[in-house]
């Protein structure tokens, strides 16, 4: 009986070892691939849950609209709105006058105008004293953005209307339509144009504002003195029969003319 040669035994053992290693290596990629697929699917599921906690409905209600550029004496103004569920959630001026003193006026006025736009949900906001031109341009572009938003079907809801709807006090579209904003004709005065915008609800003036008023030089001081008083009197009187402000006769006269025009448009 022949004995096995030592070298042959070594070769056979080596061949067996190599076969075992090859077998193990051939099985490993399949295991890694399965594990990677499972981990990838889990990661995608987690990311999907974070991005759309309610099936994507939350993100779908938000949109952005940019108003037309308004030209002013000191530069252009353009307003952009962010709207969610029919309400303005953010307002910002993507363009505003700059250079020289305009930088200070813009920094002073734009943040206030942004806040008022969100608070009132309309362009019926108060001009910032000392930044009349910027305020006027802001309101023009803001109104343009609101018009575009309404045309797209994303009507704004005022805070009072939203509250009434939530408490069940609003009944159909009739009550929501009672409040409306009307802008009177421009009244030309010796020192500049005056234009009044009023908000009317249930036949009463609830707010009055001058969207245009004389500015520059002493006119800035007279406008800052007269307009707030005229606004208050217009709301209190509910008509254009209001007293002129001493020292601002021309502005007062123009204000009353534009106010009467607005009342005529609103139906008296």
């Amino acid at each position: 009986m022949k004995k096995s040669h030592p070298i042959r035994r070594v070769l056979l053992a080596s061949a067996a070892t190599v076969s075992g290693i090859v077998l193990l290596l051939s099985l490993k990629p399949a295991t890694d691939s399965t594990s990677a697929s499972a981990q990838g699917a889990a990661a995608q599921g987690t990311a999907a849950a974070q991005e759309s906690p309610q099936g994507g409905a939350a993100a779908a209600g938000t949109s952005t609209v940019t108003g037309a550029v308004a030209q002013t004496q000191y530069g252009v103004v353009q307003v952009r709105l962010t709207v969610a569920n029919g309400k303005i959630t953010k307002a910002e001026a993507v363009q505003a006058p700059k250079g020289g003193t305009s930088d200070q006026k813009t920094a002073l006025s734009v943040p206030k105008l942004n806040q008022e736009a969100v608070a009132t949900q309309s362009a019926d906001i108060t001009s910032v004293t000392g930044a009349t031109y910027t305020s006027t341009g802001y309101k023009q572009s803001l109104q343009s953005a609101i018009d575009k938003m309404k045309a797209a079907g994303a009507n704004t809801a005022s805070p009072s209307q939203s509250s009434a709807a939530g408490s069940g006090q609003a009944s159909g579209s009739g009550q929501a339509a009672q409040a409306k904003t009307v802008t009177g004709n421009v009244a030309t005065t010796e020192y500049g144009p005056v234009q009044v915008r009023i908000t009317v609800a249930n036949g009463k003036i609830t707010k009055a504002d001058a969207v245009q008023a004389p500015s520059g030089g002493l006119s800035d001081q007279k406008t800052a003195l007269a307009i707030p008083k005229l606004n208050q009197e217009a709301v209190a009187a509910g008509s254009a029969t209001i007293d002129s402000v001493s020292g601002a006769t021309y502005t007062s006269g123009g204000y009353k003319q534009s106010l009467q025009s607005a009342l005529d448009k609103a139906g008296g």
Side-chain angles (χ1 to χ4, degrees), residues 243-267:
D243 294 329
S244 296
V245 176
S246 178
T249 306
Y250 289 104
T251 299
S252 299
Y255 185 100
K256 288 187 277 188
Q257 289 177 16
S258 184
L259 173 58
Q260 185 61 58
S261 170
L263 286 169
D264 293 340
K265 291 181 180 180

Side-chain angles (χ1 to χ4, degrees), residues 4 10 35 43 50 64 131 134-135 147 161 164 169 178 202 227 241 246 254 258:
S4 298
V10 171
S35 177
Q50 292 175 348
T64 302
T134 299
S135 299
D147 291 343
Q161 291 170 352
Q169 295 175 356
Q178 287 180 358
N202 298 322
I227 294 300
T241 308
S246 178
S258 184

